[in-house]
Amino acid sequence: MLQRPRRNRKSEVIRQMVQETHVSAANLIFPLFIVEGENQKTEVASMPGIFRYSIDNLLREIESCMKLGLNSFDLFPNIDEALKDKYATEGHRDESLYLRAIRAVKKEFPESCVITDVAMDPYSSDGHDGLVQNGEVLNDETLEILGKMALAHARSGADIIAPSDMMDGRVGYIRKVLDDAGFTGVSIMSYTAKYASAFYGPFRDALNSAPKFGDKKSYQMNPANQREALIEAALDEAEGADFLMVKPGLPYLDVIKLLKDNTELPIAAYNVSGEYAMIKAAVKNGWLNEQRSVTEVLTSFRRAGASAILTYHAKEVLLNKWL
Ligand code: PBG
């Protein structure tokens, strides 16, 4: 045998020498849940170790993350049911919990990277990402609302706007709204290939944002489709997206690789709430080694081609020095 691949695996030094992909703190984005009130920190039952923070505690949490070298945060609000309406007006009200949180974080930590979520579901009395009429989610009417949300986020100091709603044409619409208002420097991280997935369950628990009727299949993608992701990618690129995201992560590594091979834009992968819950449940039962399974999962996103990884494991991997 002239070729014996095992020679390059024979010691730790050589294994590290030939390692093809690495994960570092710079690749990680930490999603954080926000709730109204003071000194609040409530654990999400289906996501052990993940909490909803009031703004004061959010600032403390971000400070401790930044000490670990974790500087990028994606914020999601848990909104009082009484504040929700059909038009998700709380999504762009100047004194809303979400906008106050963005302003507080950027004031306290101007060097942090704040990513904001644009979609109607946390604020919608229908629990859908778009405007509902006669049981249908309207597209073009929703764009106007998303544009108002994006503009409010930019005014509050957001570094990157991340539309997660899957309406057609929203990247171009939001880009124009931002540019017309002078926010040409605010980035867009588009949820390009966002699938209608079972793995969002724990996130909807965290925000109490599950749809009040039906499902999200008329706007989120069919998990059976790969080629359709290329259509979404081409549109987002043409409409001015700065990042293309694939979501969920683990069940869609092929889609990450497909986009990587078909665009020059950086790819982001969202390691979603259900993926986190699966690992935590298995670890709790003693069925998986936590450090090894978490680092293997994060490495797989980098290997598939993701530059950025949105993951609820972000803080623990740095705190425990697992990378
Ligand atoms: C909603 C949104 C969802 C997530 C991020 N933004 C859920 C959904 O589409 O129902 C899921 C994130 C996760 O599961 O971690 N616009």
Side-chain angles (χ1 to χ4, degrees), residues 13-315:
V13 174
I14 294 178
R15 284 192 291 272
Q16 286 188 20
M17 190 186 293
V18 300
Q19 182 164 327
E20 296 172 30
T21 43
H22 296 87
V23 185
S24 81
N27 303 119
L28 303 178
I29 299 171
F30 194 27
L32 287 166
F33 300 124
I34 318 163
V35 70
E36 194 58 84
E38 266 170 55
N39 200 21
Q40 297 293 309
K41 180 182 176 183
T42 58
E43 194 167 32
V44 181
S46 47
M47 302 179 75
I50 295 296
F51 302 84
R52 305 174 192 88
Y53 297 98
S54 51
I55 293 177
D56 49 355
N57 282 339
L58 175 76
L59 296 175
R60 287 188 194 104
E61 176 65 7
I62 287 182
E63 182 174 23
S64 75
C65 289
M66 290 181 72
K67 284 194 179 132
L68 298 167
L70 178 55
N71 299 311
S72 298
F73 307 95
D74 194 357
L75 308 179
F76 296 97
N78 176 301
I79 301 295
D80 222 24
E81 205 58 36
L83 292 172
K84 299 184 185 181
D85 65 24
K86 239 188 142 39
Y87 297 91
T89 41
E90 183 65 9
H92 48 83
R93 187 174 65 86
D94 197 48
E95 279 308 305
S96 73
L97 167 67
Y98 198 59
L99 298 183
R100 279 184 282 125
I102 299 167
R103 291 194 286 259
V105 175
K106 285 307 293 187
K107 177 159 181 253
E108 199 85 14
F109 308 104
E111 68 288 15
S112 66
C113 174
V114 170
I115 299 160
T116 62
D117 191 70
V118 169
M120 288 172 62
D121 54 327
Y123 319 94
S124 154
S125 47
D126 292 308
H128 276 283
D129 294 25
L131 179 62
V132 177
Q133 217 168 62
N134 304 323
E136 255 187 68
V137 174
L138 305 181
N139 194 89
D140 300 14
E141 293 77 354
T142 297
L143 296 184
E144 209 175 305
I145 298 167
L146 301 177
K148 285 184 187 166
M149 291 176 66
L151 186 56
H153 297 178
R155 285 195 175 121
S156 302
D159 298 282
I160 303 178
I161 308 271
S164 68
D165 55 284
M166 289 302 279
M167 296 302 119
D168 293 334
R170 93 274 210 210
V171 171
Y173 190 94
I174 289 171
R175 185 71 270 161
K176 183 165 185 340
V177 167
L178 293 177
D179 289 354
D180 287 352
F183 293 106
T184 53
V186 173
S187 318
I188 297 180
M189 177 182 282
S190 177
Y191 285 65
T192 297
K194 177 173 181 180
Y195 288 87
S197 172
F199 291 98
Y200 307 147
F203 174 97
R204 294 177 189 173
D205 293 344
L207 297 192
N208 188 25
S209 64
K212 300 283 163 54
F213 69 89
D215 53 41
K216 298 191 174 184
K217 290 180 186 170
S218 78
Y219 44 106
Q220 298 180 349
M221 286 173 57
N222 181 344
N225 293 355
Q226 190 189 58
R227 287 156 50 82
E228 194 180 344
L230 291 174
I231 299 176
E232 292 284 1
L235 286 168
D236 285 355
E237 195 164 343
E239 292 174 31
D242 300 286
F243 297 80
L244 304 183
M245 192 201 296
V246 175
K247 176 183 178 184
L250 264 196
Y252 299 89
L253 290 176
D254 59 325
V255 181
I256 296 173
K257 171 78 172 128
L258 181 71
L259 294 200
K260 180 73 177 180
D261 290 343
N262 284 281
T263 178
E264 304 307 321
L265 290 174
I267 310 294
Y270 202 139
N271 178 214
V272 302
S273 57
E275 300 173 56
Y276 176 87
M278 279 198 297
I279 288 198
K280 289 291 163 180
V283 166
K284 191 170 166 212
N285 277 294
W287 297 339
L288 282 179
N289 174 295
E290 187 164 31
Q291 171 173 0
R292 294 190 53 210
S293 46
V294 170
T295 52
E296 187 174 330
V297 165
L298 298 183
T299 301
S300 77
F301 294 126
R302 298 279 294 140
R303 193 188 65 238
S307 301
I309 307 166
L310 296 100
T311 180
Y312 301 96
H313 297 292
K315 188 183 183 190

